[in-house]
Amino acid sequence: TPETAGHDVQTVVDVCNAGDVVRVYPGIYDAGGKAAPGCITTNRVYAGVPIRLESVEGPAHTIIVGRSDAGEAGSNAVRCVHLAPGSTLAGFTLTNGATQAVGGDDGSGGGVVATGSVVSNCVIDDCIAQMIGGGVQGGTIYNSIICRNYALFGGGAIDAALHACVLYGNGAQGGAA
């Protein structure tokens, strides 16, 4: 219920076991965060075990906000979501996510890193990655809108299987969509 909900999504995700379902109530989630082991990029939500993270009322009402570094990738950046393989993310807007201004995992997937995971019914908007996957890196993406994201390669999505998705306004030096 809203009365027992966590104040940020990461606090709840930190106590999850594999297979748990986290239902997120409407709101703007722009606090909290955690880096994946061995990485320096903070994620607003880092799921270290496979879980299902779902919104109660959909992407228009449940928004995870990362942080760019003055509109760029950089040392103050916060990616929106990083999922463990086998996870599902359903019904969120992910916006303003960004990566560190470096290569490798820390410079990829500004909106969501979803390798081996599923993302459905999401809006991934206005995110940036230094290297690849401004909006999305990896995973299987269903019924989502991926728009206005930027990366060096794969501005909207890269290394992902997209099904019934809409992509527009993404930019990259190579492979904008």
Side-chain angles (χ1 to χ4, degrees):
T1 67
E3 295 79 30
T4 60
H7 295 286
D8 64 71
V9 179
Q10 187 63 53
T11 300
V12 176
V13 170
D14 279 342
V15 298
C16 285
N17 295 309
D20 283 352
V21 176
V22 177
R23 299 193 74 217
V24 181
Y25 284 88
I28 297 172
Y29 296 90
D30 59 0
K34 184 176 193 173
C39 294
I40 58 174
T41 297
T42 298
N43 306 284
R44 191 64 68 207
V45 178
Y46 169 68
V49 297
I51 61 171
R52 179 174 176 84
L53 188 64
E54 63 185 36
S55 71
V56 172
E57 292 190 20
H61 303 284
T62 316
I63 302 163
I64 297 174
V65 182
R67 181 177 65 219
S68 66
D69 200 350
E72 302 288 333
S75 60
N76 294 314
V78 177
R79 177 188 291 123
C80 293
V81 177
H82 187 291
L83 298 169
S87 296
T88 298
L89 179 74
F92 291 87
T93 290
L94 308 180
T95 189
N96 200 39
T99 68
Q100 298 291 304
V102 297
D105 292 341
D106 283 306
S108 302
V112 59
V113 173
T115 304
S117 296
V118 172
V119 174
S120 69
N121 191 34
C122 287
V123 175
I124 301 150
D125 177 34
D126 197 25
C127 298
I128 187 167
Q130 177 70 22
M131 296 303 295
I132 62 173
V136 177
Q137 179 191 6
T140 304
I141 318 302
Y142 294 99
N143 304 313
S144 294
I145 298 170
I146 303 168
C147 58
R148 302 183 316 136
N149 303 290
Y150 183 82
L152 186 60
F153 297 101
I158 198 163
D159 299 331
L162 307 178
H163 302 276
C165 293
V166 174
L167 288 87
Y168 67 89
N170 298 293
Q173 289 183 12

